Amino acid sequence: AIEEKCGGNSNLNRRNHHTGQEQIIKTQEKNIEQLRNEIRGQKQECERRFTIHEKKIEGLHQQHVGFTQQVDYEFKKVEHQIAKQEKITDQKITDLDNKVERNTEEIEEIKEKIKEEKPINTQNASTIIYKTEGLTTLKPKKFDGSFRSVHPVNFLKSLENYWMNMHLKEEQKMNIMEDYLEGCAKAWTDLHQSEWRNFKEFKREFLEQFWSTEKQNKIRHQLNMPRLYNARNGSYTDHVWYWVSKTAHLEPRIKEDQLIEALVDHFPRDIQMVLYAAQAKTIKNLTEILEKIQETN
C-alpha cells in the first residue's frame, strides 16, 4: 500500500511538473509574440518616419534647384542690363571726348584772339573774382534735429565754410547760426543759448546733443536691422545714399565692405539674392546695380 501511495504521488508530481513546463512555454511564446508585434510596429514606424524625411529631403532639393535657377536668371538679367548700360556709357564717353576735342579747338582759337586784344586789368579782374566767390558761397541747409535734412556734422561744417571769409565776431556767428536752425534743434538752442559764450562752446554742446556716442551706437544698431527699405522714402539708391550720409561721421568709421553688407540686408529677399550674386565691391557699384534692378522692375 505504501509503495502504491508513493508511486501515485510520483506520477502526480510528474504531471504537475509537465503542466508547469507547458505554462512556462506558453508564457514564453506569448511574450515572444508580443515582442514580435512590438518590433513589427517599430519597424513600420521607422519606415513611416523614413518616408516622411525622404519626402522632406526631396522637397528641399526641389526648393534648392528652384532657388538656384532663380538666382541664375536674375544674375543673367542684371548682367544683360549692365552690358547694355556699358554700351550706352561708352557711347556717351565717345561723344564727350568729341565734344572736349571741339572745345579744345575753340579754346585755342579764343587764346589766339585774346593775344590780339589789349591786356586785362588784373587788379579789376581779382576784385571781380573775389566778389563772385562771395556771391556763389552756398548757404547752409537748415537743421531741424533729424538726419533727413542734413547731418549735424555737415551742418556745422557748412556754417563754418559759409562765414569763413566774413571776419565775423562771435556774437554775429551765433546770430547767423540761429537763423539756420528750426524744429527741435531750434527749441533746444533757445533753451540753452544763455550757457554759451561763443560758437566753439555751442559746437561742443551741439555735437553732444545731436551726435553723441549713444546716438552713434543707436545708428549702428539700426544699420544692422534687416528689411529697413521703405519705398515711401524714395528709390533704392536714395536709401543707400541716406545711410551713407547717416554713417559717414561715425567713430570709429565703418568699413565700406561692412556698410555694403549691412545695406544689402535692408532690401527684400529677391533683391538681396541679386545683390549677393553681383558681389558689389563699392558703394558706387552697389548703387549702379540697384539702379538697374529698379529699372527692370
Side-chain angles (χ1 to χ4, degrees), residues 141 143 146-155 157 210-211 215-216 219-220 222-223 236-251 253-254 256 259-260 263 266 283 286-287:
K141 289 184 179 180
F143 180 69
S146 70
F147 289 86
R148 283 288 173 190
S149 57
V150 60
H151 194 286
V153 176
N154 290 338
F155 170 71
K157 288 182 178 179
F210 296 104
W211 194 236
K215 286 188 179 295
Q216 293 185 47
I219 289 173
R220 290 180 190 275
Q222 291 174 341
L223 174 66
Y236 295 159
T237 54
D238 289 338
H239 180 82
V240 170
W241 289 121
Y242 167 73
W243 277 98
V244 169
S245 173
K246 194 170 183 177
T247 59
H249 301 286
L250 289 175
E251 292 294 339
R253 292 180 63 86
I254 296 179
E256 189 171 19
L259 179 59
I260 291 171
L263 289 174
H266 286 192
I283 292 295
L286 177 64
T287 57

Side-chain angles (χ1 to χ4, degrees), residues 82-194:
I82 291 174
K84 182 179 177 181
Q85 188 62 34
E86 284 178 348
K87 289 182 180 179
I88 296 173
T89 303
D90 290 341
Q91 183 59 47
K92 288 183 178 179
I93 291 173
T94 302
D95 295 341
L96 185 60
D97 288 340
N98 294 334
K99 187 174 181 180
V100 169
E101 186 176 351
R102 290 194 300 270
N103 288 343
T104 303
E105 293 174 356
E106 292 177 2
I107 289 171
E108 292 300 326
E109 291 177 2
I110 292 172
K111 284 182 178 179
E112 292 298 325
K113 290 181 180 180
I114 289 174
K115 288 179 181 179
E116 299 172 1
E117 299 290 335
K118 293 173 65 177
I120 298 174
N121 188 324
T122 56
Q123 183 176 358
N124 291 338
S126 299
T127 304
I128 293 170
I129 292 171
Y130 176 78
K131 289 182 177 179
T132 303
E133 287 179 348
L135 290 172
T136 56
T137 301
L138 294 176
K139 292 184 178 181
K141 289 184 179 180
K142 290 192 174 184
F143 180 69
D144 61 3
S146 70
F147 289 86
R148 283 288 173 190
S149 57
V150 60
H151 194 286
V153 176
N154 290 338
F155 170 71
L156 292 175
K157 288 182 178 179
S158 65
L159 276 177
E160 292 171 329
N161 291 334
Y162 180 57
W163 61 50
M164 183 180 296
N165 297 319
M166 294 184 181
H167 307 292
L168 301 176
K169 296 180 180 179
E170 288 299 323
E171 183 179 354
Q172 292 173 313
K173 290 181 181 180
M174 296 296 286
N175 290 335
I176 291 176
M177 171 270 296
E178 290 181 19
D179 291 338
Y180 291 97
L181 292 172
E182 58 186 8
C184 64
K186 181 68 167 63
W188 174 81
T189 302
D190 291 342
L191 180 64
H192 297 284
Q193 62 181 349
S194 61

Side-chain angles (χ1 to χ4, degrees), residues 37-51:
N37 290 334
E38 289 178 3
I39 292 171
R40 193 178 297 111
Q42 290 175 358
K43 180 182 178 182
Q44 291 174 350
E45 178 64 18
C46 288
E47 289 175 348
R48 186 184 68 82
R49 291 184 179 181
F50 178 78
T51 302

